Amino acid sequence: MIRISVYYEENSVKEFEQADGGKEITIGRAPGCSIHLDEGSVSRLHALIRFHNGGWLLERKASFGAVLLNGQEVENAPLEGGEEITVGKFSLRVNLDSSQQALRPQMTVSSGMSQEDDGRTRLVSTGVNALLRFEPGSANVSEFLMQSDVAVFGRGSNCDVVLTEKKASRKHVEIRRQGMSFFVKDLNSANGTLLNGSPVNEAELVAGDVIQIGEAKIQFSVENKDYFSGQDNFMPVPAHAQQPSAYDQNMPMESNYGYQQGADASFAAPGAQAPQAAREPEPQSLVGKFKKWYSSLPKAQRMRWLTILVVIALVGAVLGGPDEAPKPKPKTTSNQSASRTFDQLTTQKKKFVVEKYANLLKAHDVRDFAKMIDNTSEILTYVDDYKDTKAYEKIAKRGLEEIEEEKSRRALEEKQAAIRREVAALEEKGKPVFEKAYEDRKFRAELDAVIQEIYAKDPNNQLALQWKTRIKLKEEEEKREAELARQKEEQKAKAEAALLAVREIFQQEKYILATAEAVKLDDSGWTDPDYLARVSGLKEEIRQKLESVISPLLKDASSQRQEGGDLVKANELYKQVLKVDASNKEARSGIDAIRETLHLRAKRFYAEAILAESISELAEAKDKYEKCLRVAPDEDVYKRRCRNKLSRFEAFSSGSN
């Protein structure tokens, strides 16, 4: 029995149980998954857990999302109980019954896993190493077994492998280990790096990949010494177990553990005993001993011997004759195994298969699906199929799945009903708390606690979501009101400071500046009625003070306009008035009236100056030009002409000196 506790950010979400030998436990975002994890970082089919060779096996199925086992990324690994699987933001804690715990020593030998003192599983990287093979003359070694986490290749003498290729950079590429995976990374080399003929900056490596640097080619493979040293003691692999499941079609043919994906034997402990009827006899012939010796060799040596045997077979085929050497069987993978038929079996094995088939039919009659699975497994250990054994196997698996689904469905319905009752009680408890929290901030911590209790049991609860949304909107509204109040106080303080500054200027008797600054007070943006009344009062006070200053100027200007007065001085007095009060109508009308008179006087002086200049009375001409310049109004045409004439007189006077 396997039990999986699902947590979301340390909050318990659900419990899952399944008996040993049941259907595959699928984990993902798709609604049909056994463990449905509705979260954006989880793939539709992210991982699966399947019962295999008496134990449970975790396999990663996502193309991009990681699967962490006790904090380390894995592709596939056996489960021994006590592990924590991390998928996205979910944590899945695995518990196995005592019968599964007893299998721990068997499942850690060849899987690349070991046992911690606290019962949790950790990865062991020493059993799995990257092996790099180099073409002759392309490097200072022919093979490099990577035992550290990072290895650097290049022409530099301090690299782990020194390349002789001219196009290689001093530090060209690095290969690093991450968990049970290996990655190649180009170190900004001048000529780049190819992986299987395509340019690459960084990529994950799988066994059989070829890294090319210039003309040098490097073959990557993964070696698992524990697997090869213990494979002679592995249990025989049933033929049906070698067939990939529907989920395995997308898995790579060779995993990072160093064994082929379809080979179930890699999870059996050395020395494990199979049923007597299903065990192969120990090879005693010379050929059998040779096969055993050949299997114990490292992979590189096996490839060399296989090449020699192929050459011998080809020579024998060419020469022919009764002593022709038999061709060695080509190496097959789990997806390309040789066909095994009933007729190829020994008499003892045929008897065994017939007996198991009879037991299979009896189990089918009484709908004992577990016994049907046992009998089909033993039959398919020796043959690919016998009569309709595989059809019965499908019937048995479907029957077990239906039974388990029904159990799970009933248990799930009961658990969901209990959760709904608990959630309803929490909703009733939270309603009055929400009403108080909406009006008073001090109750919001209590409401948050109730919402967390509801979410722990129902993460998609709509009432809790509605409470959180309304409280959030309320807090945003309170923030806006507080900000507006702060801005209002700031604006008021700024306006009061500006009003005080204008009053200080007025008290310093700087009336013109005070008048200009008082006008700016209208743009302060502060519209408080009391403030606006005080601004108007200050403006009126300044205006009255200006009136007392302007009146004498107007009176003096008016007297100068009388018969015998000085119109130029009157014009200047009016200008002074306008500097103090630009809107003064009397001063403006006085200037307009004087301008025409002064224009005519300037015209007369200019004509007299021209006449004097024409008869060479230069002193008189200059005097007339100066009078014209003095009486001509600003921007008058005669003012400009007189300046030009006087500038010529000054130039003439300087030249004569």
Side-chain angles (χ1 to χ4, degrees):
M1 175 70 72
I2 184 172
R3 290 184 297 277
I4 301 175
S5 302
V6 183
Y7 294 81
Y8 182 80
E9 296 182 344
E10 300 303 324
N11 295 320
S12 178
V13 176
K14 64 178 73 173
E15 298 283 339
F16 180 86
E17 292 185 357
Q18 182 167 304
D20 299 345
K23 67 175 184 176
E24 294 175 337
I25 303 171
T26 53
I27 303 169
R29 188 161 45 85
C33 288
S34 309
I35 300 178
H36 179 221
L37 306 179
D38 191 6
E39 202 262 326
S41 62
V42 180
S43 300
R44 290 184 61 80
L45 176 61
H46 204 100
L48 64 84
I49 301 173
R50 60 187 176 92
F51 192 74
H52 173 72
N53 272 8
W56 291 94
L57 174 67
L58 169 67
E59 296 182 7
R60 172 178 173 263
K61 294 299 178 183
S63 299
F64 300 100
V67 176
L68 303 182
L69 183 64
N70 296 336
Q72 298 197 38
E73 186 172 348
V74 298
E75 292 293 330
N76 48 24
L79 300 177
E80 304 168 12
E83 295 91 352
E84 181 170 314
I85 304 168
T86 303
V87 177
K89 296 183 180 179
F90 291 90
S91 297
L92 286 69
R93 298 173 187 173
V94 180
N95 292 287
L96 304 178
D97 60 16
S98 57
S99 64
Q100 291 300 309
Q101 297 287 342
L103 292 174
R104 287 183 181 180
Q106 298 179 347
M107 299 184 69
T108 60
V109 173
S110 62
S111 62
M113 310 295 288
S114 68
Q115 189 70 31
E116 294 280 14
D117 295 338
D118 60 359
R120 296 171 72 85
T121 303
R122 66 179 178 87
L123 289 170
V124 177
S125 61
T126 56
V128 179
N129 298 97
L131 179 64
L132 288 306
R133 295 186 177 89
F134 300 84
E135 293 180 331
S138 63
N140 63 338
V141 294
S142 60
E143 290 186 353
F144 177 73
L145 185 64
M146 181 173 165
Q147 297 178 336
S148 60
D149 289 335
V150 179
V152 178
F153 302 166
R155 286 192 299 107
S157 59
N158 58 344
C159 293
D160 296 283
V161 175
V162 180
L163 303 176
T164 59
E165 169 60 38
K166 294 181 179 179
K167 293 184 179 180
S169 300
R170 295 186 63 81
K171 287 187 177 181
H172 199 100
V173 298
E174 72 172 18
I175 295 178
R176 70 180 186 279
R177 182 208 313 267
Q178 290 186 1
M180 301 299 287
S181 301
F182 293 87
F183 295 82
V184 61
K185 180 180 180 181
D186 185 273
L187 300 177
N188 296 321
S189 63
N191 296 307
T193 304
L194 301 180
L195 180 62
N196 299 326
S198 300
V200 66
N201 289 326
E202 184 172 5
E204 184 175 2
L205 296 170
V206 297
D209 280 347
V210 176
I211 305 167
Q212 184 172 347
I213 300 173
E215 300 299 326
K217 295 182 179 179
I218 307 169
Q219 185 177 15
F220 172 83
S221 64
V222 180
E223 298 291 335
N224 188 326
K225 295 183 177 180
D226 292 339
Y227 170 75
F228 289 118
S229 64
Q231 67 178 356
D232 293 334
N233 297 319
F234 291 166
M235 294 174 62
V237 183
H240 72 286
Q242 296 183 9
Q243 302 299 325
S245 68
Y247 298 111
D248 292 334
Q249 299 299 326
N250 296 323
M251 292 292 289
M253 290 299 297
E254 194 167 325
S255 74
N256 290 330
Y257 292 100
Y259 51 80
Q260 290 184 345
Q261 186 72 21
D264 296 337
S266 60
F267 293 100
Q273 299 295 321
Q276 292 297 324
R279 287 184 60 84
E280 291 283 359
E282 186 70 20
Q284 299 297 330
S285 65
L286 183 61
V287 175
K289 291 181 180 179
F290 174 78
K291 287 183 177 179
K292 181 177 180 181
W293 168 80
Y294 177 77
S295 300
S296 65
L297 292 176
K299 185 175 181 182
Q301 295 185 26
R302 293 203 310 273
M303 293 300 295
R304 295 191 190 103
W305 277 104
L306 181 60
T307 303
I308 293 170
L309 291 174
V310 170
V311 172
I312 293 172
L314 291 174
V315 172
V318 172
L319 297 178
D323 297 328
E324 186 175 336
K327 294 183 180 180
K329 294 182 179 180
K331 183 178 178 181
T332 60
T333 64
S334 59
N335 290 334
Q336 296 175 336
S337 58
S339 176
R340 302 174 302 153
T341 63
F342 181 78
D343 293 337
Q344 296 172 348
L345 299 179
T346 63
T347 303
Q348 182 181 0
K349 291 179 180 178
K350 287 180 178 179
K351 182 179 178 181
F352 174 80
V353 170
V354 171
E355 179 184 347
K356 293 301 178 182
Y357 184 75
N359 293 339
L360 172 62
L361 296 179
K362 292 178 182 178
H364 175 261
D365 291 339
V366 296
R367 298 180 63 80
D368 190 340
F369 300 119
K371 286 187 177 180
M372 289 177 67
I373 290 292
D374 292 340
N375 285 288
T376 56
S377 298
E378 294 182 4
I379 292 171
L380 296 175
T381 300
Y382 295 102
V383 293
D384 292 339
D385 197 6
Y386 176 69
K387 295 185 178 180
D388 47 3
T389 299
K390 286 192 175 180
Y392 280 117
E393 182 185 38
K394 292 182 180 179
I395 293 172
K397 287 183 177 179
R398 187 164 59 250
L400 289 173
E401 289 176 0
E402 290 174 355
I403 292 172
E404 192 60 35
E405 286 175 357
E406 181 61 23
K407 287 182 182 178
S408 300
R409 186 186 62 78
R410 286 199 299 268
L412 181 62
E413 287 179 353
E414 292 174 1
K415 191 166 186 177
Q416 289 176 342
I419 291 175
R420 283 195 293 270
R421 290 192 295 270
E422 294 174 1
V423 170
L426 289 171
E427 288 177 346
E428 290 300 320
K429 173 185 174 182
K431 288 178 181 178
V433 179
F434 167 74
E435 296 297 333
K436 291 186 289 186
Y438 189 79
E439 300 298 333
D440 193 340
R441 297 180 62 88
K442 68 181 181 181
F443 293 102
R444 290 176 188 174
E446 182 181 354
L447 178 63
D448 285 340
V450 175
I451 290 174
Q452 291 304 318
E453 287 187 72
I454 294 175
Y455 276 159
K457 300 180 182 299
D458 181 10
N460 298 316
N461 187 274
Q462 293 301 308
L463 183 58
L465 177 61
Q466 180 183 350
W467 289 345
K468 285 181 71 69
T469 302
R470 292 187 61 188
I471 291 296
K472 183 178 180 181
L473 293 174
K474 180 68 173 178
E475 289 177 344
E476 291 176 354
E477 181 182 350
E478 291 172 349
K479 286 181 180 179
R480 287 194 298 270
E481 291 176 352
E483 178 63 18
L484 288 174
R486 186 194 65 78
Q487 292 177 359
K488 188 175 181 180
E489 285 298 320
E490 184 177 321
Q491 193 177 35
K492 177 182 178 182
K494 187 176 179 181
E496 291 290 345
L499 178 61
L500 180 62
V502 173
R503 185 165 291 280
E504 289 177 354
I505 293 171
F506 174 64
Q507 291 173 353
Q508 294 171 6
E509 298 183 354
K510 299 178 180 179
Y511 305 126
I512 297 175
L513 180 60
T515 301
E517 293 299 321
V519 173
K520 295 179 182 179
L521 295 177
D522 295 333
D523 300 328
S524 65
W526 183 243
T527 57
D528 181 70
D530 176 65
Y531 172 79
L532 295 177
R534 285 185 286 134
V535 169
S536 298
L538 178 59
K539 286 181 178 180
E540 181 62 23
E541 191 175 350
I542 295 171
R543 191 191 65 77
Q544 291 178 0
K545 191 67 177 177
L546 283 173
E547 193 80 22
S548 65
V549 174
I550 290 171
S551 294
L553 295 175
L554 292 175
K555 185 177 180 181
D556 192 9
S558 179
S559 64
Q560 291 294 337
R561 290 179 63 186
Q562 301 298 324
E563 185 68 27
D566 188 348
L567 293 180
V568 174
K569 184 177 180 180
N571 191 53
E572 292 299 325
L573 291 172
Y574 283 135
K575 288 181 180 179
Q576 291 180 29
V577 172
L578 291 178
K579 287 181 181 179
V580 177
D581 182 9
S583 61
N584 190 279
K585 295 180 180 180
E586 184 178 351
R588 192 165 295 282
S589 62
I591 287 175
D592 291 341
I594 291 172
R595 178 180 290 113
E596 184 61 28
T597 303
L598 292 178
H599 173 73
L600 294 175
R601 288 184 182 181
K603 182 178 179 181
R604 188 184 71 228
F605 284 132
Y606 185 79
E608 292 173 353
I610 291 293
L611 182 60
E613 186 178 5
S614 66
I615 59 175
S616 300
E617 294 290 339
L618 299 181
E620 183 180 355
K622 182 179 179 183
D623 179 63
K624 296 294 183 179
Y625 283 134
E626 289 176 348
K627 289 181 178 180
C628 174
L629 182 64
R630 188 175 68 84
V631 301
D634 293 338
E635 299 179 358
D636 190 87
V637 63
Y638 291 108
K639 203 173 194 69
R640 177 173 56 79
R641 292 176 181 177
C642 289
R643 284 197 187 101
N644 293 335
K645 290 290 187 179
L646 288 173
S647 63
R648 290 171 59 190
F649 274 97
E650 291 175 0
F652 177 77
S653 299
S654 299
S656 60
N657 291 333

